[in-house]
Amino acid sequence: MAKRRAKRSAEWAGRQARDPYVRRARATGFRSRAAFKLVQIDQKDRLVQAGDAVVDLGAAPGGWSQYVAARVGSQGIVVAVDRLEFPPITGVTRIIGDFTAADIALDVKAALGQRPANLVISDLAPNITGVSSIDQAGCALLARAAHDFALSVLTTQGTLVVKLFEGVEGQTVRQEVAHRFARCVVRKPDASRSGSREFYLVARGPRPLG
Ligand SMILES: C[S@@+](CC[C@H](N)C(=O)[O-])C[C@H]1O[C@@H](n2cnc3c(N)ncnc32)[C@H](O)[C@@H]1O
């Protein structure tokens, strides 16, 4: 068991050392290589404008929040929530807690003030077990919660970016999201490792219920 763990962590260290996005994150000051996934989705889909109000769900260590804070500028709002502590980011309101808890969701909405959100981004991930069916289900559960939260805060032109894992659960959530938004596309940015089962939905324009 200990041997297998040591082998896995040596493999991880080797992958990190070879990864160009890890090097770029260090060089540019991003806290995570994940930041480049959002950069690349934004380059394709023009997600964020100066002055926007943005909610980042599952924000730690903060790469996505760093990027959107720079893009929205001083007239914008970025509210970042994670159940793990992470260091402050200039221009970002941090909320530490589980966003599926009612009091934390209320704190996030209060931090937006009276403004609806232009963009909700979710890179939420469960603790990975390595068992594909469990990880897929955990990610789908979080993605559904992110979707429901987004519907409660987005403007009628607003956008949701949400991570899913490939598989039956992921496809079911994809259909649910596509049903509730005017447009929904799948993105697999170059910075997302090809061996990873993750992909992202970019969903625009929540539809009214009915
Ligand atoms: C892949 S990381 C996010 C990386 C981030 N986008 C970045 O660029 O630094 C996923 C995060 O989701 C968080 N998370 C998972 N479930 C959560 C929940 N229910 N509430 C808040 N955060 C959660 C985890 O703690 C973890 O930090």
Side-chain angles (χ1 to χ4, degrees), residues 71-169:
R71 299 277 287 129
V72 302
S74 58
Q75 302 303 308
I77 299 178
V78 179
V79 183
V81 56
D82 204 290
R83 58 184 183 191
L84 300 178
E85 268 289 350
F86 60 108
I89 300 168
T90 305
V92 174
T93 303
R94 268 177 327 148
I95 294 173
I96 307 302
D98 180 341
F99 87 102
T100 64
D103 58 333
I104 299 294
L106 280 177
D107 287 349
V108 176
K109 289 176 185 173
L112 283 171
Q114 298 307 311
R115 290 184 62 175
N118 305 97
L119 176 65
V120 173
I121 50 181
S122 165
D123 198 21
L124 285 159
N127 292 331
I128 298 299
T129 64
V131 180
S132 164
S133 57
I134 295 175
D135 296 338
Q136 212 191 103
C139 191
L141 210 65
L142 288 169
R144 269 201 190 97
H147 166 255
D148 293 348
F149 178 84
L151 289 175
S152 73
V153 294
L154 280 175
T155 67
T156 53
Q157 301 299 315
T159 302
L160 166 68
V161 177
V162 62
K163 171 155 78 186
L164 281 167
F165 287 167
E166 281 167 18
V168 177
E169 291 273 356

Side-chain angles (χ1 to χ4, degrees), residues 16 19-33 35-36 39-40 43 190-191:
Q16 290 289 99
D19 186 331
Y21 289 109
V22 171
R23 285 199 295 273
R24 274 172 70 182
R26 283 197 197 114
T28 51
F30 280 130
R31 291 179 187 175
S32 63
R33 72 179 295 293
F36 293 104
V39 171
Q40 290 166 358
Q43 281 166 352
D190 184 67

